[in-house]
Amino acid sequence: VLYRKIVLLTCVAACALSGCSIERADPKDGYSTEYPVTALEYNLFISKEIGVVENQLITRIMAADKLFTGGIPDFPTEKEAAEESVNKVAEIRDEIIVTMPAKEYESDRESTLNLVEDALTTLEDYQDALESADETMITDAASDMEMSYIALSGEANNYYE
């Protein structure tokens, strides 16, 4: 037992000292695996990713609704939060690109990827609208985010069958 602990600690220390790190796969390189994940693994993965994108959208929609009513958040805080949302959704898009789906989910993957791209575009439009501080542009961007949210919610149903 002591021998195992020493070996484990040595391995952990060697990895920590050598600067080991896990690199994110680059979408330009294609899939990050040689074989597709199982249907169950892909279902769980994509459901989680869709949920995160939906959460980013609904949070920005709610914030946009409060910006002009004197509620929280204020513009600087919301600009920063919108940037974080854009970055998070871009990361999710990249993860979907590099994850090879199970055969039965190949067509669903394309549809989901398109909807995530649309969500990213609406978030970027919202970010631009925040920079202009134009109420009409922000309201329009929030409406577009809401439509994107609805589309993603419908897509999520494909993975609950």
Side-chain angles (χ1 to χ4, degrees), residues 109-147:
R109 175 192 174 271
E110 289 304 315
S111 177
T112 301
L113 191 53
N114 288 335
L115 291 172
V116 170
E117 287 279 358
D118 290 345
L120 181 57
T121 300
T122 62
L123 284 165
E124 290 168 340
D125 291 346
Y126 176 63
Q127 195 175 20
D128 293 341
L130 287 171
E131 288 300 321
S132 72
D134 180 273
E135 187 171 0
T136 302
M137 287 178 65
I138 291 171
T139 302
D140 290 347
S143 179
D144 291 345
M145 287 187 294
E146 189 173 348
M147 297 308 293

Side-chain angles (χ1 to χ4, degrees), residues 23 33-34 45 47 57 83 92 104 108 120 128 149 161:
E23 298 286 325
T33 59
E34 189 173 340
F45 161 75
S47 294
L57 287 168
E83 182 178 348
I92 288 169
E104 53 267 42
D108 291 334
L120 181 57
D128 293 341
Y149 174 84
E161 296 174 354

Side-chain angles (χ1 to χ4, degrees), residues 13-124:
C15 188
L17 294 174
S18 68
C20 291
S21 65
I22 297 173
E23 298 286 325
R24 289 182 82 74
D26 190 338
K28 291 178 244 160
D29 296 335
Y31 292 127
S32 63
T33 59
E34 189 173 340
Y35 301 102
V37 296
T38 67
L40 177 60
E41 289 170 326
Y42 193 74
N43 188 310
L44 293 171
F45 161 75
I46 207 74
S47 294
K48 179 189 82 66
E49 300 295 2
I50 288 173
V52 173
V53 175
E54 287 175 326
N55 288 340
Q56 294 299 318
L57 287 168
I58 200 69
T59 303
R60 301 287 60 83
I61 292 165
M62 302 281 285
D65 186 49
K66 302 291 183 213
L67 279 172
F68 295 101
T69 61
I72 295 174
D74 57 18
F75 270 91
T77 303
E78 183 55 14
K79 285 179 187 178
E80 186 176 312
E83 182 178 348
E84 289 173 15
S85 291
V86 165
N87 292 338
K88 185 67 173 168
V89 173
E91 285 177 17
I92 288 169
R93 178 210 48 211
D94 292 349
E95 286 298 316
I96 293 171
I97 289 171
V98 301
T99 303
M100 186 183 298
K103 288 279 186 213
E104 53 267 42
Y105 286 115
E106 286 176 346
S107 63
D108 291 334
R109 175 192 174 271
E110 289 304 315
S111 177
T112 301
L113 191 53
N114 288 335
L115 291 172
V116 170
E117 287 279 358
D118 290 345
L120 181 57
T121 300
T122 62
L123 284 165
E124 290 168 340

